[in-house]
Amino acid sequence: MKDQKQLNRRSFIQLTALAGGGLLVGVYASETEMLAQRGGGGPPAPVNPNNYITVHPDNTFTLMARNPETGQGMRNSLPMIIAEEFDVDWKQVKVQQGDLDAARYGGGQIEGGSTATPTQYTPMRNVGAAARMMMVATAAKQWNVSESELTTGSGMVKHARTNKTATYAALADAAMKMPPMTVAEIKLKDPKDFKILGTRVQGVDVMAIVTGQPAFSIDVNPPGMLFAVYQKCPTFGGKVMSANVEEVKKQPGVKHVFVIEPPVPPAAPAGGQRGGGGGGGVTWAGGVAIVAETWWHAQSARNKVLKVDWDYGAVRTQSTAGYNAQIKSLASKASQEPTVGGGFGGARAAKEGDAEAAFKTAAKVVEAEYSFPLLSHAPLEPQNSTAWYKDGKIEIWSPAQIPSLNDAAVPSGVQPADVTFHMVRAGGGFGRRLYKEYDVEVSKIARLVADERQKAGQPSVPVKLLWSREDDIAHDDYRPPAYHYFKASLDANGKLTAFRDMVASYGNVSVVPTNEFPRGFTDNFWVSDSQFGPFNIPTGAMRAPAFNGTSFVMQSFIDEIAVAAGKDPLQYRLDLLNSPTTYKPPTNRTGANAPFNAARAKAVLEAVRDMSNWNNRSKLPKGTGQGVSFQYAHSGYVAYVCQVSVDASKKLKVDKAWAAVDIGEQIVNASEAENLVQGGFVEGMSHLMAWEITIENGAVVQSNFDKYQPTRMRQVAPNQIQVKFLKSDYTPTGLGEPSLPPAPAAICNAIAAATGVRIRHLPLAKAGYSWT
């Protein structure tokens, strides 16, 4: 592996004995070092030792999964990498989920941003390879033969000349006594010899999921547990003035009722984002907690009896109607030339060349306005967490994507070192569980329950906080909305001579595409933005942040430009990619900080062109069309061609989609990788058709899936999404993010090809469209 030598100075292997004859292998191998190798991250730093492998006497192996699992397959894929280099069969392996444990696993126990694979691919290979080499060295010493004469496979060491064999289990005790090994001494497999990586491996939780066995955080049920609901103010930032606590306490099954005051707020985070981090930055919303024998008892008491007088706060003046009025006003200003000094620009702006001058001399100018709305994540498993405060410590079972974020120790009044955090599988993440205020809330409630029970002479018990679907949709960290005013100029040959985008937005930078294609491929490029407000609705990351909205507007408008130029939209993109300017786009905000590579972008476009029979699309029947889009996101390249049919009543059907994907030199789990592409496309369909969160009087209007409907499997079967992975000479990167962003644009471009109607505003349902 080409990265190996760069890890040498700060890496070593430690061997430790386990009680019962097991073997633990720990490796110092920092993901920070991996980032540094790829041109990102800070200087390399040592990390704590990790323990991953247990060898059992029956020659089976337990491999630890170090990262959370929210559906991206990390619980399988990282142990698969270890098993490959350890040279054991997957059927010999059991996978065990690790807890949050920085001392054992180092930092980066995260599922988010498609970072797990690029940061852990080499460290996990080192773990497995080191363990295999220890077994070989031990066998060589016992048999008095050269290590080079030995081979491994299926958890055994073999010596062909003497026909000797030994299981790893038989060698483990002696292997434990070997001195530590440096990473420089580790020899990794040649990828051509891989037996597990790249194959289809079923998820370790699949059988439990499909048979209804406990698998998710919502299934955690420690003995004696009580259940909690937490009623928060419908408007963001509101608080309790008074509540009928004593009356609620009298309801069947109810054990405890608390009015919880919010802490004194820290300095307001910028852009309406919810503050993260620990210590003084930890906060929680005020509300009323009802704790009962069952969740049904708690929920019934809330729905039937609880009455709260709220201080609704300043956000009550906010509404989507007000937001729309502001962005219309901003768009109007943007359409008046020139806009220099008009309040636009600043840190979120990018400008090369002179777009205004190019517009004045253009053969043709194309202008359009696009928008996308506020979105809720709405994972199928609502937010939940279970906590047990006991003897000055707290134990938490949570589906968090970043367990270390938002210190749950603060509201329970314990030290961070006194928090035991169990990472439990989540029923969907999509970025929502990066913001785990439910852990903060349950920590506070568990402490209050424990204190009250102690005063009554009762033992402390665990408490599970479960949000209802309505709680989840009403109190999300939403994907921010944005409004884009585009203008582009063409010369007499249809070549793009200037590209301008003025963004009216609210929230974080994910709606401002300052580094997006075609930047770097046209001499005159200008993006500027203006924040509207105040809005004060919490916003945050959604799957593929920075791209899930911008890909729709950018790839749709580029399609418009190609059509205006009289060119093939797919070839037009290729032609642009063949014409780089002197400006090089800086590293995108991606999982592994790899810079944009035009050759890889062209390769996925060319592949999807060939897969979809794109050049014969003119032969499709009336009302049927193909659309193309591509996206570079989180170091992965995905191009789609989508074929749709649209009838006169705007009934829309995705007939087929083709995806060409480049995430580097190695697919870890072929089954999971394909699923992630298909799932990303289907989720993109949800963004496209019906999802929109609206605000009235400072509160969310939608409450459940009847008003916020996701796309169903029947609306596009997975076998209708054909996936092809392109192998390239780059370290493997993640696939949780890149497959979603280009899906809405591909579908909308296909609608335009089928009908001549250009879709510029989402969701489609507001324009009368629905799925067939």
Side-chain angles (χ1 to χ4, degrees):
M1 178 63 192
K2 52 183 172 288
D3 295 332
Q4 181 179 322
K5 291 183 179 178
Q6 295 173 316
L7 292 170
N8 293 349
R9 290 180 296 171
R10 291 180 171 82
S11 303
F12 67 90
I13 294 175
Q14 187 177 54
L15 190 66
T16 310
L18 262 187
L23 172 68
L24 286 181
V25 180
V27 174
Y28 289 90
S30 167
E31 57 214 43
T32 303
E33 292 175 337
M34 292 297 300
L35 288 172
Q37 295 167 28
R38 300 173 63 85
V47 297
N48 294 323
N50 305 305
N51 295 305
Y52 290 96
I53 303 173
T54 302
V55 180
H56 299 290
D58 63 353
N59 210 39
T60 61
F61 315 96
T62 296
L63 305 184
M64 301 301 291
R66 70 183 302 280
N67 285 37
E69 174 62 73
T70 64
Q72 298 186 22
M74 287 301 106
R75 189 174 296 183
N76 261 43
S77 62
L78 297 186
M80 283 174 66
I81 298 169
I82 298 174
E84 179 65 74
E85 291 288 352
F86 196 27
D87 214 3
V88 299
D89 296 337
W90 188 247
K91 63 183 179 183
Q92 296 175 283
V93 169
K94 294 180 180 177
V95 175
Q96 182 177 338
Q97 177 66 60
D99 290 336
L100 177 66
D101 191 342
R104 184 172 186 176
Y105 299 111
Q109 287 184 266
I110 293 169
E111 186 168 73
S114 296
T115 56
T117 297
T119 60
Q120 296 303 315
Y121 183 67
T122 297
M124 294 301 100
R125 290 187 73 186
N126 285 335
V127 169
R132 171 175 46 81
M133 292 175 67
M134 292 172 185
M135 297 298 176
V136 169
T138 300
K141 185 176 181 180
Q142 291 182 355
W143 298 338
N144 194 28
V145 298
S146 169
E147 293 181 23
S148 63
E149 297 178 17
L150 301 181
T151 60
T152 59
S154 301
M156 297 186 69
V157 181
K158 304 171 185 176
H159 186 240
R161 181 164 55 83
T162 60
N163 204 30
K164 289 183 177 179
T165 63
T167 65
Y168 285 177
L171 298 168
D173 284 343
M176 287 189 296
K177 299 172 184 173
M178 291 184 62
M181 183 185 298
T182 67
V183 170
E185 297 173 277
I186 297 174
K187 183 177 180 181
L188 300 175
K189 275 186 175 180
D190 188 323
K192 69 178 176 56
D193 297 325
F194 284 170
K195 303 170 186 172
I196 297 175
L197 298 187
T199 66
R200 293 180 178 273
V201 173
Q202 177 178 295
V204 295
D205 300 321
V206 167
M207 187 56 68
I209 292 171
V210 300
T211 57
Q213 302 301 308
F216 299 101
S217 178
I218 201 172
D219 298 317
V220 170
N221 290 298
M225 184 181 72
L226 297 177
F227 295 80
V229 299
Y230 191 42
Q231 179 66 49
K232 292 180 280 192
C233 184
T235 61
F236 300 98
K239 62 181 182 179
V240 178
M241 298 293 288
S242 63
N244 58 338
V245 170
E246 296 305 318
E247 186 178 357
V248 177
K249 286 181 177 177
K250 297 174 184 176
Q251 297 308 300
V254 173
K255 298 294 186 182
H256 309 272
V257 182
F258 308 101
V259 171
I260 297 178
E261 298 289 340
V264 176
Q273 296 181 68
R274 184 164 291 171
V282 176
T283 187
W284 54 89
V288 180
I290 302 174
V291 184
E293 294 175 353
T294 69
W295 192 78
W296 185 87
H297 284 110
Q299 179 74 344
S300 295
R302 170 164 71 164
N303 289 342
K304 297 177 181 177
V305 178
L306 178 63
K307 296 179 181 177
V308 184
D309 291 327
W310 299 104
D311 174 356
Y312 289 99
V315 181
R316 199 169 195 189
T317 63
Q318 300 301 305
S319 69
T320 298
Y323 151 71
N324 287 336
Q326 288 190 63
I327 59 175
K328 288 287 186 184
S329 175
L330 289 167
S332 175
K333 293 177 183 176
S335 64
Q336 300 168 9
E337 299 179 25
T339 58
V340 175
F344 308 113
R348 307 201 309 175
K351 190 173 184 180
E352 284 97 38
D354 189 342
E356 292 295 342
F359 293 144
K360 293 175 181 176
T361 59
K364 181 178 286 187
V365 173
V366 185
E367 297 179 79
E369 296 176 3
Y370 281 78
S371 69
F372 52 84
L374 206 67
L375 293 185
S376 174
H377 300 75
L380 196 58
E381 179 197 27
Q383 311 312 320
N384 68 90
S385 186
T386 302
W388 190 0
Y389 176 86
K390 185 180 180 182
D391 300 330
K393 299 182 179 180
I394 192 162
E395 189 170 9
I396 293 178
W397 295 260
S398 169
Q401 290 182 248
I402 305 182
S404 58
L405 187 65
N406 289 338
D407 193 346
V410 173
S412 60
V414 305
Q415 296 300 311
D418 290 327
V419 178
T420 299
F421 201 105
H422 304 290
M423 299 186 293
V424 191
R425 183 187 176 101
F430 318 118
R432 174 62 183 90
R433 300 184 207 271
L434 300 172
Y435 311 91
K436 54 190 194 69
E437 59 269 39
Y438 42 87
D439 285 341
V440 174
E441 293 168 358
V442 77
S443 172
K444 181 72 174 179
I445 295 169
R447 176 63 190 268
L448 291 171
V449 167
D451 289 350
E452 193 164 275
R453 291 177 67 87
Q454 183 181 34
K455 290 179 182 176
Q458 298 173 326
S460 176
V461 295
V463 178
K464 175 186 288 180
L465 171 65
L466 173 60
W467 291 19
S468 67
R469 178 76 58 210
E470 289 79 4
D471 292 332
D472 203 359
I473 291 181
H475 292 281
D476 201 347
D477 293 86
Y478 305 90
R479 193 283 301 273
Y483 199 93
H484 291 247
Y485 170 81
F486 285 114
K487 190 172 184 180
S489 62
L490 310 176
D491 67 15
N493 295 317
K495 181 182 178 181
L496 181 66
T497 56
F499 187 96
R500 186 187 138 207
D501 181 10
M502 186 278 164
V503 189
S505 65
Y506 169 79
N508 60 30
V509 295
S510 69
V511 296
V512 183
T514 53
N515 290 328
E516 282 299 285
F517 176 83
R519 189 179 186 188
F521 299 91
T522 182
D523 290 327
N524 304 295
F525 181 90
W526 183 13
V527 168
S528 57
D529 85 294
S530 182
Q531 290 254 324
F532 68 87
F535 204 41
N536 296 324
I537 307 301
T539 59
M542 178 173 268
R543 185 176 184 177
F547 310 107
N548 55 42
T550 56
S551 187
F552 159 66
V553 298
M554 300 291 278
Q555 287 290 314
S556 295
F557 186 59
I558 289 170
D559 222 64
E560 281 202 67
I561 296 170
V563 172
K567 307 290 186 182
D568 175 337
L570 195 155
Q571 186 60 46
Y572 197 77
R573 288 167 169 82
L574 291 173
D575 291 342
L576 279 170
L577 289 165
N578 282 326
S579 305
T581 65
T582 54
Y583 172 79
K584 302 297 181 188
T587 299
N588 266 312
R589 188 158 59 89
T590 63
N593 293 320
F596 180 78
N597 185 314
R600 299 177 74 181
K602 287 188 290 185
V604 293
L605 280 166
E606 290 168 347
V608 81
R609 176 192 60 197
D610 298 339
M611 294 166 65
S612 61
N613 202 21
W614 170 265
N615 290 337
N616 288 321
R617 66 192 187 287
S618 62
K619 299 177 182 178
L620 293 171
K622 185 179 180 182
T624 301
Q626 288 188 345
V628 63
S629 67
F630 85 96
Q631 186 64 48
Y632 164 61
H634 297 261
S635 297
Y637 297 77
V638 177
Y640 285 120
V641 166
C642 180
Q643 182 172 308
V644 305
S645 301
V646 189
D647 69 15
S649 60
K650 295 187 177 179
K651 291 287 187 181
L652 174 65
K653 182 176 185 294
V654 174
D655 299 318
K656 188 83 176 179
W658 297 266
V661 182
D662 176 1
I663 53 170
E665 64 187 0
Q666 181 63 53
I667 300 296
V668 175
N669 185 341
S671 178
E672 194 65 43
E674 187 175 87
N675 289 342
L676 285 170
V677 177
Q678 294 166 337
F681 186 89
V682 174
E683 188 178 348
M685 292 172 65
S686 296
H687 288 210
L688 173 81
M689 179 57 75
W691 277 9
E692 180 181 26
I693 291 296
T694 54
I695 306 294
E696 287 181 9
N697 298 321
V700 171
V701 173
Q702 294 72 22
S703 60
N704 211 318
F705 284 146
D706 61 328
K707 302 295 184 185
Y708 193 77
Q709 293 197 21
T711 299
R712 267 59 167 180
M713 294 290 283
R714 66 176 180 271
Q715 287 153 350
V716 58
N719 62 10
Q720 292 173 277
I721 307 170
Q722 181 181 335
V723 183
K724 180 178 183 178
F725 290 101
L726 308 185
K727 190 173 183 177
S728 60
D729 188 24
Y730 295 89
T731 301
T733 52
L735 196 49
E737 326 290 329
S739 62
L740 186 153
I747 298 171
C748 290
N749 291 338
I751 294 172
T755 67
V757 176
R758 180 63 61 178
I759 304 300
R760 298 193 180 97
H761 305 281
L762 298 182
L764 274 177
K766 292 182 73 173
Y769 288 87
S770 62
W771 297 121
T772 298

